Amino acid sequence: MTVPRPAGPSETPAGSILRRQRERESSARTYARSFPIVPARAQGMVVEGVDGRRYLDCLSGAGSLALGHNHPVVREALRRTLDSGAPLHVLDLATPEKDDFTDALFATLPKGFADRARVHFCGPAGTDAVEAALKLTQTATGRRGVLAFTGAYHGMTAGALAASGTVAVKERVAGGGAGEVTRLPYPYAYRCPFGVGGEGGTDLAVTYAERLLDDPSGGVVPPAAMILEAVQGEGGAVVGPDRWLRAMRRITSERDIPLIVDEVQTGVGRTGAFWAVEHSGVVPDVMVMSKAVGGGLPMAVIVYDERYDGWLPGAHTGTFRGNTLAMAAGAATLRYVAREGLVARAAAVGAWMTARLEELRGALPVIGDVRGRGLMIGVELVDVAGPLDACGAYPADPDLARRVRSACLERGLIVELGGRYDATLRLLPPLTITDEEAGEVVERVAEAIVTVVAESLGSGSGGTAPGSGPGGPTTYGVGGLAVGWGVVAPGLDPVAGAGGEVEAAGDGFVAPGAGGAGGAPGADGVDASARER
């Protein structure tokens, strides 16, 4: 038996906890490597560590916390349920809490779907809901294969992993996960798989999929389903064009192929629609839901067209299929998002943040692309010393991205990486983000990138991008002041520089100075696309 070593005389409480975690937990841990902090309290978008340092959380439990941490509506739902004496575990028996959650969920479904929908409560992780969706369609069609896309992420269990695009995780698993998967190209304008980008790349993706399925020598046996994300989350906030999604619906309908849309990360208002598929007007056959649908507590469900409801009792079961507390929290969250107009709020604030980051991209060439929908935003960082590809994009720069992530953490901002080569900063703030917090997020991202670029070049000369900032010409680069943004390189200003502390107007939030958050996260080479579901 291994006895943990006692803390050394100079070891902080946070350091002691982190050390014990390294010694006891598996090497598969991910976020703990990226963020060497020990959260003790949290409220809204603010997380406070045991050392008293506070951070703006732009990860939100990988999108699970639609209302941020410990929202009063969620806390009240949990207290009410606990005080009622309701059974917290009843397998899949009917309960008032389940009935109420189902009512709240069906009220949010795309028009024309709820009146013929069935819901199945799965194990508490999104990956189990993906497995259920695959099993459902395989049972209904009598087929095995699945159509999936490049850049996809659907989970870590066998079928979900097989449908995912991430190679780094799959190549270490014998067989790469179970299932027969045909991979189709996902439209990705910045790094178009066909090398053309824009609408031309979208058209080619549609044509490729259609002709492959109709080619008698194409090698594709009629599949059980097509599974896709309307916006690829772990794939780097890549937005599937609405007309492409409508084309996938047409192609699958014409060939009697069930369409599964994975809304695990995009759901509950995050993209500026309650469900991301609604932007295109498409009604899928199956919707996969988890993360925010449980109000921050573990829960996953699939909702599907009743004509596919052909499996036998126990065909997909599990001990924790729908936790009473998660149902209460989920129902409260769904209703609050709808009642308070947070879907429109996510669209508006997300558009503002994206526009500001686009301005920053005009001044900082290392920002290759800014994209996303609503409060699901990606900032792809590139190596401007590398060669341009066929679409005019520089190579991804994962090392720069890791250093910027670390610099963000030093400035009191939690952001994670994703996308190809883990070179995309992913912003997933809660839908309750305030205007002041949105400004702080953009400001700290800007400062982190400017600082890291300055350190990389090791020079004091800066560049000017005319008209790129709200205050006129904005100077960025290697140690210069970013006029109009309040962004400075370390040492130039005690108010916003790396050596000081910044107070966000209105919320009393104080960001720690640089150097207080620990070493460089991600330096151990962990693939940040290996996410929990």
Side-chain angles (χ1 to χ4, degrees):
M1 177 174 121
T2 302
V3 179
R5 299 193 309 270
S10 62
E11 193 171 35
T12 65
S16 178
I17 292 171
L18 289 170
R19 174 180 56 76
R20 286 195 295 272
Q21 181 187 44
R22 288 193 300 270
E23 293 173 348
R24 294 168 170 174
E25 276 201 53
S26 82
S27 59
R29 67 191 190 283
T30 53
Y31 297 109
R33 295 176 185 267
S34 302
F35 309 109
I37 62 177
V38 181
R41 285 164 296 279
Q43 182 66 49
M45 197 176 173
V46 178
V47 172
E48 182 178 330
V50 295
D51 55 5
R53 294 190 176 99
R54 288 186 281 176
Y55 306 83
L56 286 178
D57 182 3
C58 220
L59 179 57
S60 301
S64 299
L65 301 171
L67 305 183
H69 295 274
N70 289 315
H71 193 277
V73 165
V74 174
R75 290 165 63 98
E76 173 56 29
L78 296 176
R79 286 195 191 98
R80 185 173 60 249
T81 304
L82 289 170
D83 291 344
S84 74
L88 301 182
H89 189 285
V90 289
L91 299 172
D92 68 350
L93 297 180
T95 65
E97 291 78 16
K98 177 185 282 190
D99 190 50
D100 186 58
F101 171 81
T102 304
D103 283 346
L105 177 62
F106 275 41
T108 71
L109 295 178
K111 187 177 180 181
F113 191 38
D115 58 353
R116 62 176 190 274
R118 294 291 184 96
V119 62
H120 181 78
F121 291 83
C122 307
T127 190
D128 188 62
V130 170
E131 299 289 350
L134 297 176
K135 187 184 294 183
L136 175 77
T137 54
Q138 289 166 341
T139 300
T141 63
R143 308 173 197 151
R144 289 179 52 82
V146 176
L147 302 173
F149 290 86
T150 55
Y153 179 78
H154 298 293
M156 285 291 168
T157 50
L161 180 60
S164 298
T166 308
V167 174
V169 177
K170 293 166 63 172
E171 66 184 356
R172 297 191 180 190
V173 179
E180 301 169 4
V181 176
T182 297
R183 191 77 50 189
L184 298 173
Y186 193 92
Y188 182 5
Y190 187 63
R191 299 195 184 279
C192 176
F194 301 103
V196 297
E199 293 189 356
T202 299
D203 292 340
L204 286 172
V206 172
T207 300
Y208 180 90
E210 194 160 19
R211 293 192 176 178
L212 179 65
L213 292 174
D214 291 343
D215 186 350
S217 298
V220 180
V221 175
M226 172 187 284
I227 184 169
L228 58 79
E229 301 154 279
V231 181
Q232 292 189 334
E234 304 298 337
V238 179
V239 180
D242 291 339
R243 64 194 191 91
W244 168 80
L245 191 53
R246 288 191 286 269
M248 294 302 103
R249 174 70 285 187
R250 174 185 59 79
I251 288 170
T252 53
S253 294
E254 291 174 352
R255 292 156 183 80
D256 195 27
I257 301 170
L259 176 63
I260 303 169
V261 175
D262 184 338
E263 292 268 10
V264 168
Q265 194 167 102
T266 54
V268 193
R270 176 148 301 279
T271 68
F274 213 101
W275 305 104
V277 73
E278 293 181 279
H279 290 289
S280 64
V282 163
V283 177
D285 299 301
V286 185
M287 293 175 66
V288 180
M289 307 167 181
S290 188
K291 294 190 184 294
V293 80
L297 274 67
M299 186 163 68
V301 301
I302 59 171
V303 180
Y304 56 92
D305 191 302
E306 61 186 3
R307 67 194 178 103
Y308 294 104
D309 195 31
W311 48 17
L312 297 174
H316 193 85
T317 189
T319 302
F320 295 100
R321 294 202 300 117
N323 177 277
T324 300
L325 287 176
M327 290 174 183
T333 297
L334 292 168
R335 291 193 174 107
Y336 188 86
V337 169
R339 182 176 68 247
E340 299 299 320
L342 294 187
V343 175
R345 171 73 179 166
V349 177
W352 182 88
M353 292 177 68
T354 300
R356 294 284 282 170
L357 291 166
E358 275 286 357
E359 292 174 358
L360 187 62
R361 184 174 75 92
L364 283 173
V366 295
I367 300 178
D369 193 32
V370 176
R371 56 181 178 263
R373 208 159 204 172
L375 290 174
M376 193 172 188
I377 303 169
V379 179
E380 184 164 345
L381 301 179
V382 298
D383 178 6
V384 294
L388 295 171
D389 66 13
C391 293
Y394 286 110
D397 195 337
D399 179 66
L400 174 64
R402 286 191 293 269
R403 290 159 59 205
V404 169
R405 177 180 62 187
S406 178
C408 284
L409 193 66
E410 291 170 353
R411 285 155 182 78
L413 180 64
I414 297 172
V415 296
E416 185 54 301
L417 307 180
R420 297 338 191 252
Y421 308 102
D422 280 339
T424 299
L425 300 177
R426 299 181 56 232
L427 307 182
L428 292 165
L431 278 56
T432 53
I433 185 173
T434 66
D435 292 346
E436 292 82 5
E437 288 169 339
E440 279 294 311
V441 169
V442 174
E443 191 87 7
R444 295 178 196 191
V445 168
E447 183 184 342
I449 296 174
V450 168
T451 300
V452 171
V453 170
E455 292 170 350
S456 297
L457 296 178
S459 168
S461 59
T464 300
S468 60
T474 302
T475 302
Y476 287 95
V478 292
L481 172 68
V483 179
W485 285 78
V487 175
V488 297
L492 293 183
D493 190 324
V495 175
E501 294 188 337
V502 183
E503 183 169 349
D507 65 358
F509 174 86
V510 178
D524 50 13
V526 173
D527 182 358
S529 65
R531 305 286 180 244
E532 294 92 344
R533 267 211 173 183

